Amino acid sequence: MRYLILTAREHGPQAALATIGPAFAAAVTARCAERLLAGMAEAAALFLADAGRPAESVRALAAATAWRAGLPRSVPEQRVLEGLPERTGALLGPLRRAGEETAGAALTPAGLAEALSGS
């Protein structure tokens, strides 16, 4: 995951999205645990927000939250995501944000992999 964050910092969020899309699809195909997929989806949510795609960011973060099945994020994971919901919410407004959260919570890992493949 650190590699992706470094990629985003050095080359921009689009470069990180181009990397995480295939990596996420491979993790889904390999049937990795949803907790691992949730972490990857959270990283994708950050990159999507930084790329100016707040609706997709909200959906990815909502999917990750659903896949965690109530298990809390670690402190480092919380810090990385700090401010993301507020940032995307300010761009979308409360009604659209709520709609995107609902759509994201219903996403399967395969559905998010498909969405990220077009990034």
Side-chain angles (χ1 to χ4, degrees), residues 10-98:
E10 291 178 6
H11 304 287
Q14 286 301 119
L17 285 168
T19 302
I20 201 167
F24 189 83
V28 170
T29 300
R31 296 182 170 207
C32 289
E34 285 191 343
R35 175 115 175 151
L36 173 75
L37 297 176
M40 294 178 78
E42 289 162 354
L46 285 170
F47 305 145
L48 288 163
D50 290 344
R53 297 160 62 181
E56 293 166 271
S57 173
V58 169
R59 288 193 301 270
L61 186 58
T65 300
W67 300 338
R68 286 183 176 279
L71 295 173
R73 291 179 175 93
S74 68
V75 172
E77 290 169 330
Q78 289 174 18
R79 284 195 183 126
V80 168
L81 296 172
E82 203 167 80
L84 180 62
E86 294 80 11
R87 185 167 49 131
T88 55
L91 293 169
L92 296 175
L95 290 177
R96 179 152 182 223
R97 177 174 172 68

